Amino acid sequence: MKICFLSDIHGNYDALKKCVKEAKKLNVKKFICLGDYVGYYYQPDKCIDLLLSLKAECIKGNHENIFLDIIKNKQKKNFYISKYGNGIKIALEKLKKKTHKFY
C-alpha cells in the first residue's frame, strides 16, 4: 500500500489539495499528517475538512499546540500573532469548536 506523508500545511488549502491530487494519481491509499496543518495561511478549516475526508492520521505540531494554548488562555493571543502572524487569528475565527476535537 502506498502512503503519503504530509507536514507543514499551515492552512494552505490550495497546496494541500494539489498534493492530494498528485498522491491519488500515484494510487496512494493512506495519508499521514505530521503536524502543522494550521498556521500561517488562511484556510485551516478547509485543510482539516480535507484531511478528515481522507481519514488521514494526524499528529499535532507546534502550531496546533499554539492554537490550543490560545484557546485555554486568550491572553496569549496577541503574543502569538506578533510572533507568527495573522494565520493563527484566522484559525481561531474559522475553526469551530467541533473541529477542536480533531486535535
Side-chain angles (χ1 to χ4, degrees), residues 7-25:
S7 71
D8 297 287
I9 298 163
H10 290 292
N12 188 341
Y13 177 69
D14 292 331
L16 174 60
K17 190 168 61 171
K18 180 74 173 172
C19 288
V20 168
K21 182 179 178 182
E22 292 300 315
K24 286 185 173 185
K25 284 182 187 177

Side-chain angles (χ1 to χ4, degrees), residues 56-70:
E57 292 184 33
C58 300
I59 61 172
K60 291 184 287 189
N62 64 310
H63 283 267
E64 285 75 46
N65 288 330
I66 289 167
F67 177 78
L68 294 170
D69 193 28
I70 293 171

Side-chain angles (χ1 to χ4, degrees), residues 12-40:
N12 188 341
Y13 177 69
D14 292 331
L16 174 60
K17 190 168 61 171
K18 180 74 173 172
C19 288
V20 168
K21 182 179 178 182
E22 292 300 315
K24 286 185 173 185
K25 284 182 187 177
L26 297 170
N27 204 27
V28 168
K29 298 295 183 195
K30 185 173 187 76
F31 292 85
I32 298 174
C33 183
L34 303 175
D36 289 346
Y37 29 88
V38 302
Y40 303 110

Side-chain angles (χ1 to χ4, degrees), residues 75-85:
Q75 293 175 338
K76 293 183 177 183
K77 179 179 171 182
N78 289 333
F79 167 75
Y80 285 123
I81 288 172
S82 69
K83 188 170 182 177
Y84 296 107

